[in-house]
Amino acid sequence: MATILIVEDDPLLLDALTGQLQQLEFEVCTASSVAEGTAVLQARAVDGIILDLGLPGADGMELLTWARSHIAGLPVLILTARDGVEDRILGLNAGADDYITKPFNMQELQARLQAMLRRARQPAFTQASSAAGGPSSTIGPLVLDHGTHTAHLQGERLELTQREWELLELLVNRCGEVVTRDDVLAAWRAGPPEPGQSTAAPLNSNALEVYVHRLRRKLDATNLNIRNIRGLGYMLNRP
């Protein structure tokens, strides 16, 4: 039985989340502030966190930062009213595994939580040290070196443009989960333009389809598959 820590200061929402997760046979522990959440994490082992950001006394991002520096690989799902693109980018870049905004659909939350926990248990997804000294991700025959922004497929280096790399990295980091079109476009807009492109170059769903098609062709010889999730975005299937 997996144990989930819910850090939420709204008592009604906290009770609702606790009840729903207990019905799914999760063990649940709760906290309503960063200090309480930190104390729970210091006192017991948990398998994942559902974390609000707008907490009394201290921002939930402080707990995320603490967890990332003290508990390697602990899955964290942010559940917050902060729905700006910049907030989502900040949360994901700080180490959150997923980000859901309020109001939310309980079934989607449950699905994303379970996907996040499956990913954390997946032996095919490993974090290791690359030869360059930076973190790397391995999924089946694909190896990404996040420090050098390079990818190797079946031992051969993949030639990727900057946008292709950013898209592939998002898909790999959230392998088995839906990556929305907005997630990809936000990541692209947060970074510099590709060499030879102006800042005015269009970043939209049509451009994204082109890059997804290119990546599919480059992964075609393997069992790695980028699925279209109708109305939502894309998912990289696990091998």
Side-chain angles (χ1 to χ4, degrees):
M1 177 185 297
T3 300
I4 303 299
L5 168 62
I6 306 174
V7 186
E8 170 61 60
D9 66 322
D10 182 332
L12 293 178
L13 178 56
L14 184 59
D15 285 346
L17 286 171
T18 299
Q20 289 287 332
L21 294 186
Q22 287 175 339
Q23 287 183 16
L24 294 172
E25 300 186 344
F26 286 104
E27 182 176 349
V28 178
C29 49
T30 64
S32 58
S33 68
V34 170
E36 290 180 8
T38 304
V40 170
L41 293 175
Q42 290 174 323
R44 61 178 300 176
V46 303
D47 298 290
I49 304 177
I50 296 176
L51 175 64
D52 185 21
L53 296 182
L55 299 170
D59 193 278
M61 289 292 291
E62 294 186 23
L63 182 58
L64 174 60
T65 301
W66 186 91
R68 281 290 165 262
S69 62
H70 289 79
I71 309 173
L74 178 64
V76 178
L77 185 155
I78 290 176
L79 179 64
T80 180
R82 299 178 189 173
D83 58 359
V85 172
E86 296 81 3
D87 294 314
R88 292 163 65 185
I89 292 172
L90 182 63
L92 293 169
N93 284 344
D97 296 271
D98 206 345
Y99 193 108
I100 298 179
T101 58
K102 303 172 183 176
F104 62 95
N105 179 280
M106 184 64 76
Q107 289 182 320
E108 180 185 4
L109 172 67
Q110 293 170 0
R112 289 199 182 201
L113 175 63
Q114 289 169 330
M116 182 179 75
L117 295 175
R118 284 196 302 270
R119 176 185 168 208
R121 294 190 294 263
Q122 175 59 246
F125 186 90
T126 60
Q127 296 292 327
S129 295
S130 68
S136 66
S137 300
T138 301
I139 297 181
L142 179 66
V143 180
L144 266 62
D145 188 315
H146 301 283
T148 60
H149 288 195
T150 56
H152 288 76
L153 187 64
Q154 297 174 332
E156 299 292 330
R157 177 163 175 168
L158 276 179
E159 295 300 325
L160 300 171
T161 68
Q162 177 181 313
R163 297 291 183 230
E164 288 171 348
W165 162 263
E166 291 165 345
L167 171 59
L168 182 59
E169 186 177 41
L170 268 177
L171 291 168
V172 167
N173 285 345
R174 294 168 61 181
C175 185
E177 303 172 19
V178 175
V179 176
T180 69
R181 294 177 180 86
D182 286 345
D183 289 338
V184 180
L185 296 176
W188 282 355
R189 289 174 181 135
E194 287 193 312
Q197 289 189 354
S198 70
T199 55
L203 294 176
N204 52 38
S205 292
N206 290 335
L208 177 52
E209 287 289 346
V210 172
Y211 283 102
V212 169
H213 178 68
R214 290 179 184 175
L215 273 185
R216 282 184 175 134
R217 290 181 60 186
K218 293 179 179 182
L219 300 176
D220 190 51
T222 72
N223 55 358
L224 297 171
N225 178 39
I226 302 174
R227 290 177 52 202
N228 268 53
I229 308 299
R230 184 179 296 275
L232 294 175
Y234 306 94
M235 178 190 293
L236 180 65
N237 283 350
R238 296 189 181 281

